[in-house]
Amino acid sequence: MRLFLLFLFSCTLFSQQNRKEMLYQEPFRPQFHYTPKNNWMNDPNGLVYYDSTYHMFYQYHPNSSVWGPMHWGHATSKDLIHWKEESIALYPDSLGKIFSGSAIVDKNNTAGFGKNAMVAVFTHHSDSLWIKGYRNTEVQSLAYSLDNGLNWKKYKNNPVIANSNEKDFRDPKVFWNEDKKIWNMVLSVGDRVKIFASDDLIDWKFKSDFKPKNDLNNLGVWECPDLFKMNYQGKEKWVLIISHGNNTPNGGSGTRYFIGNFDGETFTNEQASTWLDLGFDYYAGITFSNVPENKKILIAWMSNWLYAQKTPTEVWRSAMTLPRELLLDYDNTAHIYFLRQNIVNQFQEIKTKIKEYKNVRLPFRKENHNLMESDISFDSKGGDDIEITFSNELGESISLGITNNIFFFDRRKSGITDFDEKFSAEIQRIPLNDNIHKFQIVLDKSSCEILLNDGKYSITNLIFPTNKYTKLDIKGDEGLEVENLRVEKINSIWK
Ligand code: FRU
């Protein structure tokens, strides 16, 4: 009997050890992007910096690798790069499941939960909640934490914003409006954004609807808005980000932004909207609140509702983008403001430079290297058309580049693609208004993030190669010169 128990005990120890070693080593598991250990994740929620720690909450289903009853998962980081998964922050309750929302630090205790309480403002979603004779599928609620986001209490008089028969009424993003000394909230409702104001996070007054005239239509439901002030050479502009469930330029879900002014009640749009990312897999991106120096750092969910639940991973499903810092800039040719996004500086710290080539003779080939966890960057000049290919010995490859001012990305042979026909139905082609002279391509196990011209254009795409890409080829038209090619290895954040 004793021997048998000893045997059982060592088996358990062994399998635990084995599992630990396997964790974050599974096929397609990103090595430097956040993924939960297990199960399904979608939108980032409640991004907030507090007491030297970045908190990332997220839509999480703890019991399955497909979407289901939503909770708020939680991860923390000191540097936005290395993440620690914490215990689940918010569980469904009698008012419903916990959908997307935001978090802030209530420095002046306006809500009465305590000085510096971390307050989460989120959507309760339920199919059977009736308030004052109205069906309340979606209402806005509060929860707070007095111990750095570890333990949460729901506010006793939830919801703080009920709803009168709107089906889609969700994803509150709350921020402290320093100009007006009030809290503001943007909320996505059907095909518009509603703006609210409050002194105490509890009593909210509706102020206005935002829905631009002659807007693009058929973009599906509006989701996950964000609104914040930025500065360009002393001029202040407000940026309103919004995600759309369907029919964006990539065929599925995507994110765009407006630039204009905001007076605490009404957002006035001043120019045509711009897509924040031109790829397939960048959704529900929002910025952190309370970051030092008022930096705007955004994280998005790296997937697309078209096929998100079918991607070929089993233990976990979906990753976040790398955190990107947003900067406001002005295009003197197009006469519009735009956002640049660049991966946060802390990313440099997990890089090991493996090779730098000053002047590159085209066609260029680099072989026998693991290119899957790397950052490849270079400048180009003197020509327009370029094609960059990453491939492996199994014949799997992606190619991307520019022809006739059109950016293309081909993942039809990238690896596993047959989990959904929409995943690789066509080569993606995106007309660009600029000549591209700077490329940055960041490859992780199952993603490719591309930033062109110092983050003026961003293209984020998932890929599922069954073996690592080991060959890099660069071809260009006559006259094209490639300089300062850097191939940098990225270390795993999970070791
Ligand atoms: C966006 C979204 C949100 C919603 C959440 C539910 O991806 O549909 O609008 O709150 O996901 O998980």
Side-chain angles (χ1 to χ4, degrees):
M1 183 65 180
R2 238 203 233 150
L3 260 183
F4 179 68
L5 282 179
L6 194 69
F7 172 72
L8 261 189
F9 179 67
S10 17
C11 282
T12 325
L13 259 189
F14 176 75
S15 76
Q16 270 176 2
Q17 186 59 29
N18 227 5
R19 224 179 93 70
K20 230 175 164 186
E21 273 163 22
M22 279 303 293
L23 202 63
Y24 298 109
Q25 295 300 316
E26 306 92 336
F28 309 126
R29 174 77 91 168
Q31 291 302 296
F32 51 94
H33 288 79
Y34 183 75
T35 48
K37 282 193 193 93
N38 295 300
N39 294 318
W40 167 268
M41 170 180 81
N42 56 290
D43 316 356
N45 297 150
L47 302 183
V48 61
Y49 178 81
Y50 181 61
D51 202 13
S52 308
T53 303
Y54 293 90
H55 292 262
M56 174 165 69
F57 302 89
Y58 46 84
Q59 288 289 278
Y60 187 51
H61 184 192
N63 306 319
S64 157
S65 57
V66 292
W67 191 85
M70 284 291 115
H71 298 53
W72 272 27
H74 184 198
T76 52
S77 172
K78 294 282 179 200
D79 60 1
L80 286 165
I81 300 291
H82 297 86
W83 293 95
K84 174 169 179 263
E85 186 165 337
E86 307 282 358
S87 47
I88 291 177
L90 300 176
Y91 287 81
D93 57 44
S94 62
L95 291 178
K97 290 137 196 160
I98 316 293
F99 272 20
S100 288
S102 48
I104 47 84
V105 178
D106 188 7
K107 294 181 182 148
N108 299 323
N109 194 17
T110 61
F113 301 144
K115 196 169 156 49
N116 287 323
M118 195 182 278
V119 182
V121 190
F122 60 90
T123 299
H124 260 125
H125 175 103
S126 151
D127 293 328
S128 54
L129 182 67
W130 291 77
I131 299 178
K132 294 185 183 154
Y134 288 111
R135 187 174 180 158
N136 271 247
T137 326
E138 297 189 334
V139 295
Q140 317 320 317
S141 293
L142 306 179
Y144 59 95
S145 163
L146 301 172
D147 61 356
N148 290 350
L150 291 182
N151 291 289
W152 290 83
K153 266 207 168 106
K154 306 260 176 55
Y155 169 54
K156 61 179 187 310
N157 293 327
N158 277 337
V160 292
I161 301 182
N163 150 8
S164 38
N165 263 1
E166 296 275 6
K167 184 170 149 285
D168 299 301
F169 188 78
R170 60 175 175 268
D171 309 340
K173 177 79 184 342
V174 168
F175 62 95
W176 175 251
N177 185 332
E178 186 56 32
D179 300 345
K180 305 286 171 189
K181 306 280 186 264
I182 50 168
W183 296 105
N184 275 125
M185 177 198 289
V186 277
L187 188 73
S188 50
V189 183
D191 64 353
R192 59 197 185 280
V193 169
K194 279 189 186 293
I195 297 170
F196 295 80
S198 170
D199 292 325
D200 59 3
L201 295 167
I202 289 171
D203 182 22
W204 289 94
K205 299 258 178 316
F206 168 70
K207 294 296 174 185
S208 66
D209 275 319
F210 171 65
K211 165 92 185 144
K213 281 193 200 112
N214 310 320
D215 193 24
L216 309 168
N217 44 38
N218 292 328
L219 289 176
V221 63
W222 292 35
E223 296 181 314
C224 303
D226 197 354
L227 177 61
F228 48 86
K229 190 164 74 175
M230 297 200 82
N231 197 296
Y232 173 74
Q233 298 189 345
K235 282 206 193 86
E236 289 183 343
K237 291 284 158 200
W238 286 78
V239 179
L240 192 150
I241 294 183
I242 183 80
S243 287
H244 294 283
N246 213 343
N247 302 323
T248 71
N250 66 37
S253 36
T255 304
R256 64 179 173 151
Y257 62 92
F258 297 89
I259 294 188
N261 265 308
F262 178 60
D263 61 5
E265 301 197 348
T266 307
F267 175 79
T268 318
N269 179 36
E270 293 178 345
Q271 57 184 53
S273 63
T274 309
W275 292 98
L276 189 54
D277 185 276
L278 300 163
F280 288 99
D281 301 297
Y282 182 105
Y283 198 63
I286 50 165
T287 57
F288 278 86
S289 66
N290 207 34
V291 177
E293 299 161 45
N294 212 15
K295 283 190 182 175
K296 295 296 163 216
I297 296 164
L298 177 141
I299 292 180
W301 173 49
M302 207 155 41
S303 198
N304 192 313
W305 279 116
L306 283 178
Y307 44 69
Q309 307 197 66
K310 299 187 193 163
T311 54
T313 66
E314 278 155 28
V315 182
W316 90 98
R317 192 169 274 126
S318 296
M320 296 299 183
T321 62
L322 285 172
R324 291 135 180 244
E325 182 172 353
L326 304 179
L327 292 174
L328 185 65
D329 207 338
Y330 188 73
D331 182 327
N332 285 308
T333 317
H335 303 292
I336 50 164
Y337 287 93
F338 67 94
L339 292 177
R340 278 189 198 284
Q341 43 184 322
N342 279 307
I343 299 164
V344 294
N345 286 337
Q346 295 91 314
F347 183 48
Q348 303 300 338
E349 274 151 41
I350 52 165
K351 286 183 177 178
T352 333
K353 199 170 88 189
I354 44 172
K355 205 93 193 162
E356 183 164 4
Y357 307 80
K358 283 281 171 227
N359 297 307
V360 180
R361 294 193 65 200
L362 297 185
F364 172 86
R365 166 166 286 200
K366 183 176 170 57
E367 279 184 270
N368 300 328
H369 271 281
N370 175 8
L371 295 162
M372 272 338 272
E373 289 133 67
S374 63
D375 181 338
I376 290 120
S377 60
F378 59 86
D379 304 334
S380 71
K381 63 175 194 205
D384 298 318
D385 293 358
I386 185 164
E387 181 175 347
I388 303 130
T389 307
F390 296 91
S391 56
N392 64 19
E393 74 295 345
L394 303 173
E396 297 170 342
S397 67
I398 50 169
S399 72
L400 58 112
I402 315 277
T403 14
N404 301 325
N405 279 335
I406 295 180
F407 174 86
F408 65 90
F409 190 97
D410 185 356
R411 64 178 178 186
R412 291 174 306 166
K413 296 197 199 117
S414 53
I416 298 187
T417 60
D418 59 359
F419 53 90
D420 188 287
E421 61 183 22
K422 295 190 203 85
F423 181 75
S424 65
E426 338 183 315
I427 303 180
Q428 186 183 12
R429 294 180 202 278
I430 308 158
L432 299 177
N433 293 328
D434 296 276
N435 289 330
I436 301 302
H437 53 87
K438 270 192 144 184
F439 291 78
Q440 181 183 12
I441 304 161
V442 179
L443 290 176
D444 199 348
K445 291 270 181 206
S446 46
S447 63
C448 176
E449 285 163 285
I450 302 165
L451 295 167
L452 303 177
N453 287 4
D454 292 316
K456 181 165 187 189
Y457 298 101
S458 150
I459 301 108
T460 304
N461 287 324
L462 291 177
I463 45 173
F464 297 96
T466 56
N467 210 347
K468 52 185 184 273
Y469 297 147
T470 49
K471 252 185 272 169
L472 163 65
D473 282 282
I474 308 179
K475 287 192 279 190
D477 62 1
E478 224 184 299
L480 185 87
E481 288 174 36
V482 165
E483 289 175 344
N484 305 324
L485 170 64
R486 292 164 74 90
V487 181
E488 292 163 310
K489 164 111 187 71
I490 315 295
N491 297 328
S492 173
I493 60 170
W494 303 118
K495 285 186 180 133

